[in-house]
Amino acid sequence: MVEQKKRFALFLATCDSSFVKKTYGGYFNVFVSTFGEDGEQWDLFRVIDGEFPDDKDLEKYDGFVISGSLHDAFGDADWIVKLCSLCQKLDVMKKKVLGICFGHQILSRIKGGKIGRASRGADMGLRSITIAKDAVKPGGYFGNQIPKSLAIIKCHQDEVLELPESATLLAYSDQCNVEMCSIGNHFLSIQGHPEYNKEILFEIIDRVVNMKLMEQDVVDKAKATMEDAEPDRKQWQTLCKNFLKGRSEQV
């Protein structure tokens, strides 16, 4: 009997920049190289352009990833409302969903949490986030060695202001009260970007400045955070893969 390939889908909520297209062939490749493994099938749905899977096809997937976005997760654009509706269906089906940045906020939104503009202002650059030890058990997504903190690249102006009642807080920081949370064993969401590296962040920063969306001093501080430090990409990869592939349960 031939073993079925594991199948995953990326809900892309942002447009590919010319830099990402030229360097990586698009964000889809960035996500698959970070979270994918040999022998898996990954499908792309550009939800920002109104591309969604049919409801009848949802059962075929082992897991889903929702990307970041320049759009507000509390917005009511048609595609955002449709994405929320789809995530509610995935919640009922108990399908694995990894939400990143915008995706993190969407998952809290559909479960009754409060999202909005970041209470301490936009956060951009490398940040150390504190793991909520009491909520994280050995052998869960983190493996047997639970770190006290992890470095991750941040790039957001919105945040989860209040967790849904059903959510468990897994990480926080001085800048953001909800850096990571889980809902049951099927939703995991992260405010930062496990898939980003320094060059992706710097290119976004430069674009944001050109669009006059951020002041130069904020940008300079963001770049300075990565002068002598790197994100813990390997640990984030392991954590996200453990979750998506169902290798361990957190609660």
Side-chain angles (χ1 to χ4, degrees), residues 123-129 150-155 173 175 179 192-193 196-198 201-202 205 219 221-233 236:
D123 194 14
M124 194 172 262
L126 189 68
R127 297 281 178 262
S128 177
I129 70 172
L150 284 174
I152 193 167
I153 292 173
K154 304 282 297 296
C155 186
S173 71
Q175 186 73 19
E179 291 281 8
H193 287 270
Y196 277 9
N197 57 29
K198 184 176 179 176
L201 174 69
F202 279 24
I205 287 174
V219 164
K221 283 179 187 171
K223 287 189 173 182
T225 63
M226 296 203 69
E227 274 177 13
D228 309 310
E230 291 284 333
D232 292 312
R233 285 193 86 222
W236 283 110

Side-chain angles (χ1 to χ4, degrees), residues 11-16 27 46-50 66-81 83-84 100-107 109 115-118 155-160 191 193 196 204 207-208 211 213:
F11 295 152
L12 192 61
T14 190
C15 298
D16 289 326
Y27 274 119
R46 295 182 185 275
V47 294
I48 190 172
D49 295 329
I66 309 171
S67 80
S69 180
L70 283 174
H71 294 262
D72 297 325
F74 52 81
D76 57 4
D78 287 350
W79 70 271
I80 294 175
V81 172
L83 178 61
C84 287
I100 292 170
C101 197
F102 168 89
H104 160 74
Q105 297 157 18
I106 286 286
L107 293 182
R109 171 179 173 172
I115 57 176
R117 284 284 181 262
C155 186
H156 67 105
Q157 64 175 357
D158 301 335
E159 69 180 13
V160 176
Q191 182 56 70
H193 287 270
Y196 277 9
I204 290 171
R207 265 194 294 135
V208 165
M211 292 162 72
L213 294 176

